[in-house]
Amino acid sequence: MIGRCIDTVGALWVLLTLGFATRFRFNGDYWEWRTKTALDAKGAPEGKLARMHLAMEYARWAWRTRRLR
């Protein structure tokens, strides 16, 4: 339970740092690439809430990956 909370806070940190790195240009090259490769992939869920959930899962994965370094 506490691990999931830590992962969620870390995921928000990852999303925030990505936002700063891309200057919050969500229509820029990185976000366009990320949307096409992860969020629009075959079998990816549709709908705004489902896409937000998928983005959060990606950020949790990125946080856990960074933590293992």
Side-chain angles (χ1 to χ4, degrees), residues 39 44-54:
L39 301 179
E46 294 183 17
K48 191 171 186 171
L49 187 60
R51 294 181 103 187
M52 288 173 49
H53 177 73
L54 192 60

Side-chain angles (χ1 to χ4, degrees), residues 7-67:
D7 285 347
T8 299
V9 170
L12 293 172
W13 177 252
V14 167
L15 291 174
L16 184 64
T17 57
L18 278 174
F20 277 115
T22 60
R23 296 184 181 151
F24 295 96
R25 294 184 194 149
F26 297 115
N27 292 330
D29 292 338
Y30 173 79
W31 292 106
E32 184 177 327
W33 169 78
R34 173 56 54 201
T35 300
K36 286 181 181 176
T37 58
L39 301 179
D40 285 340
K42 185 177 181 181
E46 294 183 17
K48 191 171 186 171
L49 187 60
R51 294 181 103 187
M52 288 173 49
H53 177 73
L54 192 60
M56 193 63 172
E57 286 302 314
Y58 162 75
R60 281 189 186 105
W61 171 82
W63 168 253
R64 288 190 304 266
T65 302
R66 286 182 181 183
R67 216 174 54 191

